[in-house]
Amino acid sequence: MVGKSAILNYCQGETAALPADLSTETAVQNLRFLTHLLLYLDSLQVGITPITLHGITAIKNQLVFKYVQYMASRPDLWQLLTVYVNTMPEHRILEFFPTVLAKMHDEGERQHILDQIQELLPQLEIRLLRQVVRLSIRRPATLGQNTSEEDERECHSIGWLLQSHGHLGDALICANMLLRGFFLDHEDDKMEVAMLLVNYLPDTLVTDAGKSKPQGDTMPEEEYTRQVENAVAEHKAFEEYLEAYQTFNKWKDMLASASTTTGAPLPDLNMAHLNPTDKSVAEQHRVKQFVRNKRESCRVVVQAAEHAKNVLSRVLTYPGGWLALDDQPNSPEDVKRQRELETIRSRYLVLAVQWYHSICEETALWLTKSLDESASVGLTRKETLNLLRNEDMSPNYWYQHALDLAVLVADDSHSIHEAFKPQDLQELLSKLAETAISKLMNA
């Protein structure tokens, strides 16, 4: 071949002759040869004495993209992928490369690719990683059908953004996207998976997020700071709720295993032969032993209930309202986020109120049944309560806390009532009416 036109015509002809499916080794070898030839020819246009071949760059871009697509189908070639991607136009890199990176789940493989990106594509790193993680955590249309393995992969995809201090703000933003997906899943209870994600994240993520801006980021600093600050507030609210969820379940398990009977000491069979004074002393001892056992069994239940109630109270009295984030949307992603947060508030604040009421109501019922055992030692409920000398062991103490929910929900400073639909509010009022009757009956 002599002359630039001949070279160009040869490259065009061989490119057009390449098969589409690359099903044979010969086709792959031809593609590999043409790709490297065109990379060499394209490189001649840059240098001290450039040799210009008009149209060669377009053919090179076409061939490199085809070769990169082939490499993407071969996981054993992924370690070389970034080298070839680096020769593609920027817009093509941003469109295609994240779709391949999202398929990489091995931590060592990811780290290798990250090192290459930082060396060869530092100006595109943060934009690539943002797209990779968003592709990885994008919830499928058939929500609720993810397997536990897929859920875990989604959680670990945040790892792409945990390797650099400057990326932690984006890691937190993407972690919140995933948490919202778990909270919005109406088919399955994803709270355990949400806790798995929170436990996977570094303990210092919330405090370190946003301390340094990513290199090569085109986002205005003011906008980046706004997004990270919103993400910090949102994540803290999610963590508070997940702690409440965990505490509530522990309380529920404890109450299910707690017996309302302590086993009142049986009267001594020889008491009939005792004189009145000795018999009175024996009865007093029996009552004291009963009260001591009853106090201990009630203490375990009441302490667990008090802890669960307090943790849920932190959600319900969250400063400014749980997930009621005051922020004006600046992008379609912001609009989607606000819509998701409103949906989550309307579901999970109502659920938190129900849990709070359940803790108070069921603890009161358990105490009532437990105090019914008083008759076995000749005491009334009131007499046993006086001997226990603990206000929180009274059923009415817990009934009153349940009734106090009405004031808490109505308080504008926490915006709880705004999350309630009319039917949810009506259901709560009906439960509180029943609680009020139970309290009167226990007076």
Side-chain angles (χ1 to χ4, degrees):
M1 289 184 291
V2 179
K4 297 179 182 179
S5 296
I7 295 174
L8 187 62
N9 289 335
Y10 170 78
C11 292
Q12 288 175 332
E14 291 298 309
T15 299
L18 283 171
D21 59 357
L22 300 174
S23 57
T24 66
E25 183 61 28
T26 300
V28 173
Q29 289 177 355
N30 289 340
L31 173 61
R32 186 182 297 117
F33 168 74
L34 283 172
T35 299
H36 288 88
L37 173 63
L38 284 158
L39 284 170
Y40 169 72
L41 293 174
D42 189 57
S43 69
L44 296 177
Q45 301 183 103
V46 181
I48 299 174
T49 38
I51 301 174
T52 304
L53 292 169
H54 295 292
I56 205 71
T57 299
I59 303 174
K60 182 268 296 183
N61 289 341
Q62 179 185 350
L63 260 296
V64 169
F65 184 52
K66 190 175 183 69
Y67 189 55
V68 164
Q69 286 179 305
Y70 166 73
M71 294 180 74
S73 69
R74 292 275 305 275
D76 57 311
L77 298 177
W78 283 355
Q79 59 181 337
L80 299 172
L81 193 58
T82 314
V83 177
Y84 291 90
V85 167
N86 182 41
T87 67
M88 293 163 54
E90 183 175 295
H91 75 278
R92 181 71 80 178
I93 295 174
L94 292 172
E95 286 174 3
F96 176 75
F97 201 21
T99 64
V100 183
L101 298 180
K103 300 173 185 176
M104 298 182 183
H105 307 302
D106 181 74
E107 293 293 337
E109 199 168 51
R110 285 181 181 177
Q111 188 58 58
H112 176 75
I113 293 292
L114 273 173
D115 291 341
Q116 290 183 330
I117 291 173
Q118 288 165 1
E119 179 184 354
L120 301 173
L121 299 166
Q123 76 284 1
L124 299 181
E125 182 183 9
I126 187 60
R127 284 187 281 169
L128 283 170
L129 297 185
R130 282 172 180 163
Q131 291 190 54
V132 171
V133 178
R134 280 165 172 76
L135 285 171
S136 301
I137 66 177
R138 189 169 292 162
R139 307 292 283 167
T142 53
L143 209 59
Q145 296 185 14
N146 273 20
T147 65
S148 57
E149 184 179 345
E150 289 168 340
D151 288 331
E152 188 172 347
R153 282 181 178 176
E154 286 185 332
C155 293
H156 287 188
S157 69
I158 307 297
W160 282 107
L161 291 163
L162 295 176
Q163 306 305 318
S164 171
H165 200 76
H167 299 164
L168 295 182
D170 283 279
L172 189 62
I173 290 169
C174 289
N176 288 347
M177 289 180 180
L178 191 49
L179 282 172
R180 292 197 297 272
F182 292 144
F183 271 74
L184 288 167
D185 195 324
H186 292 277
E187 299 295 328
D188 293 319
D189 184 352
K190 296 286 186 179
M191 293 299 98
E192 295 294 336
V193 185
M195 286 189 286
L196 175 70
L197 170 60
V198 170
N199 292 331
Y200 170 71
L201 299 174
D203 294 337
T204 58
L205 178 61
V206 171
T207 55
D208 290 344
K211 284 187 175 179
S212 58
K213 194 171 181 287
Q215 292 184 359
D217 192 8
T218 57
M219 185 185 299
E221 187 169 351
E222 183 179 341
E223 174 61 15
Y224 177 76
T225 301
R226 181 191 71 85
Q227 289 192 18
V228 172
E229 287 176 351
N230 286 339
V232 168
E234 181 181 339
H235 197 80
K236 287 180 178 178
F238 277 130
E239 286 183 324
E240 198 77 75
Y241 199 96
L242 289 172
E243 183 183 355
Y245 168 85
Q246 197 171 25
T247 305
F248 175 76
N249 282 332
K250 286 180 179 177
W251 164 81
K252 194 164 58 172
D253 291 342
M254 182 282 307
L255 194 68
S257 62
S259 174
T260 56
T261 59
T262 56
L266 295 173
D268 194 326
L269 295 176
N270 296 319
M271 283 181 63
H273 305 290
L274 297 177
N275 61 52
T277 301
D278 290 340
K279 185 180 292 187
S280 175
V281 171
E283 284 293 344
Q284 288 176 18
H285 175 73
R286 182 167 171 252
V287 168
K288 284 181 180 179
Q289 188 176 346
F290 168 79
V291 171
R292 185 165 52 249
N293 293 343
K294 183 62 66 179
R295 183 183 292 114
E296 178 57 25
S297 65
C298 289
R299 182 191 63 79
V300 173
V301 171
V302 165
Q303 280 188 353
E306 193 70 44
H307 177 59
K309 177 177 70 69
N310 290 339
V311 173
L312 270 166
S313 181
R314 291 205 301 267
V315 172
L316 298 176
T317 60
Y318 200 82
W322 183 75
L323 283 184
L325 307 178
D326 185 18
D327 183 49
Q328 292 299 317
N330 291 347
S331 66
E333 190 168 279
D334 281 348
V335 173
K336 180 174 180 287
R337 171 177 170 269
Q338 281 203 344
R339 192 162 54 243
E340 289 175 345
L341 290 178
E342 288 171 3
T343 303
I344 292 170
R345 270 179 56 79
S346 67
R347 178 182 179 186
Y348 287 92
L349 268 182
V350 172
L351 193 57
V353 169
Q354 292 172 352
W355 288 348
Y356 188 100
H357 181 270
S358 178
I359 290 168
C360 298
E361 183 84 13
E362 291 183 36
T363 301
L365 287 171
W366 186 94
L367 288 169
T368 299
K369 290 180 181 178
S370 183
L371 290 171
D372 284 342
E373 194 182 14
S374 302
S376 64
V377 290
L379 295 176
T380 64
R381 281 194 209 164
K382 187 174 181 180
E383 288 171 337
T384 300
L385 279 172
N386 289 336
L387 292 170
L388 290 173
R389 297 192 298 274
N390 282 287
E391 182 189 11
D392 56 6
M393 293 181 183
S394 166
N396 279 356
Y397 171 89
W398 292 94
Y399 283 132
Q400 185 57 51
H401 274 289
L403 293 172
D404 289 343
L405 267 174
V407 177
L408 186 59
V409 171
D411 189 344
D412 289 334
S413 63
H414 305 307
S415 305
I416 299 174
H417 60 88
E418 295 175 6
F420 273 71
K421 296 175 182 176
Q423 60 268 31
D424 294 327
L425 201 56
Q426 185 59 50
E427 184 180 341
L428 174 63
L429 292 174
S430 298
K431 286 182 177 179
L432 293 178
E434 293 173 4
T435 300
I437 294 172
S438 296
K439 185 185 177 185
L440 286 173
M441 293 177 65
N442 274 275

